[in-house]
Amino acid sequence: MDKVQIAGDGALTQGGKPVVTDPLLHLGSRVELDPGFTLRSFFRMIERYPDFSRLNAFLPECLELYRACPAGECTAPGIGRLEFYKTVEMSGFPGEPRLEIYHTLCGREGETACEIRELPLEHLLDLPLRIGKLKHVVFGDRVDVLEFDTVFNLFEFIEGIVWQLSFHRSPKECALRR
């Protein structure tokens, strides 16, 4: 699988060469994030490659929220980084077997996961963003959770992040705690 690296400024490189034209050709490539990558880097990538903004109906609204945020210092106390990971759940035995695969974006402080849906985007943009492990959950007489290293292709990465951020769209007037 080809690999595409995403820099902190949102620039894509593949094989050490910058991606200048037709970024959609790289949607199937495995994502590797530079060490300084943040959620702000994600939006910089979308702005640098406007074709990506057509991949998800929520993306234009997410971009509007991003553009309304301060230019820096957008972090949340008690959260050291963001982690994007994949979960595969197997359930239904005995009965109708079912397999579900979904993506999650959560906060992390050390090894402790924290929910971020209640936080506005302006508290998340400058947190480091990392790719987490795949969690394989098997429901049966007991619940087994196995963790594996995994990869995301560029399409999964964009789609999964935007889907998770679509839950951050509620206006401040609707959030009683803010």
Side-chain angles (χ1 to χ4, degrees), residues 92-114:
F93 185 81
E96 190 68 33
R98 190 174 72 243
L99 177 73
E100 294 183 19
I101 302 171
Y102 56 91
H103 302 111
T104 303
L105 180 66
C106 73
R108 287 251 179 219
E109 184 57 49
E111 293 304 311
T112 305
C114 356

Side-chain angles (χ1 to χ4, degrees), residues 45-116:
M45 175 187 68
I46 301 301
E47 287 185 322
R48 184 180 288 255
Y49 304 99
D51 287 341
F52 290 157
S53 65
R54 297 190 334 241
L55 295 176
N56 184 294
F58 296 117
L59 201 62
E61 190 173 349
C62 286
L63 274 171
E64 284 181 38
L65 288 172
Y66 160 69
R67 290 175 180 142
C69 289
E73 307 296 321
C74 295
T75 60
I79 300 177
R81 71 181 186 280
L82 297 174
E83 187 174 279
F84 184 63
Y85 64 91
K86 193 180 303 187
T87 301
V88 176
E89 289 184 351
M90 295 173 62
S91 61
F93 185 81
E96 190 68 33
R98 190 174 72 243
L99 177 73
E100 294 183 19
I101 302 171
Y102 56 91
H103 302 111
T104 303
L105 180 66
C106 73
R108 287 251 179 219
E109 184 57 49
E111 293 304 311
T112 305
C114 356
E115 181 60 56
I116 60 169

Side-chain angles (χ1 to χ4, degrees), residues 12-178:
L12 299 176
T13 58
Q14 189 169 47
K17 297 177 183 171
V19 173
V20 182
T21 60
D22 210 358
L24 297 178
L25 293 176
H26 303 279
L27 289 174
S29 298
R30 173 183 161 193
V31 167
E32 186 175 283
L33 305 177
D34 273 2
F37 194 85
T38 64
L39 196 53
R40 187 179 302 278
S41 305
F42 173 82
F43 284 106
R44 288 176 176 158
M45 175 187 68
I46 301 301
E47 287 185 322
R48 184 180 288 255
Y49 304 99
D51 287 341
F52 290 157
S53 65
R54 297 190 334 241
L55 295 176
N56 184 294
F58 296 117
L59 201 62
E61 190 173 349
C62 286
L63 274 171
E64 284 181 38
L65 288 172
Y66 160 69
R67 290 175 180 142
C69 289
E73 307 296 321
C74 295
T75 60
I79 300 177
R81 71 181 186 280
L82 297 174
E83 187 174 279
F84 184 63
Y85 64 91
K86 193 180 303 187
T87 301
V88 176
E89 289 184 351
M90 295 173 62
S91 61
F93 185 81
E96 190 68 33
R98 190 174 72 243
L99 177 73
E100 294 183 19
I101 302 171
Y102 56 91
H103 302 111
T104 303
L105 180 66
C106 73
R108 287 251 179 219
E109 184 57 49
E111 293 304 311
T112 305
C114 356
E115 181 60 56
I116 60 169
R117 285 187 188 183
E118 299 290 324
L119 295 172
L121 188 60
E122 63 260 21
H123 290 181
L124 304 172
L125 284 175
D126 295 318
L127 292 170
L129 176 59
R130 305 285 179 263
I131 301 289
K133 294 190 176 276
L134 178 139
K135 293 173 185 8
H136 184 188
V137 182
V138 181
F139 294 101
D141 291 337
R142 66 180 204 275
V143 176
D144 291 319
V145 179
L146 307 167
E147 292 190 357
F148 303 92
D149 287 332
T150 192
V151 298
F152 286 91
N153 67 37
L154 184 56
F155 178 78
E156 286 177 304
F157 183 70
I158 293 170
E159 177 69 19
I161 295 284
V162 173
W163 173 253
Q164 291 294 303
L165 292 178
S166 70
F167 295 104
H168 292 260
R169 299 180 302 125
S170 59
K172 289 183 182 181
E173 295 80 18
C174 295
L176 298 175
R177 287 188 249 173
R178 294 188 205 143

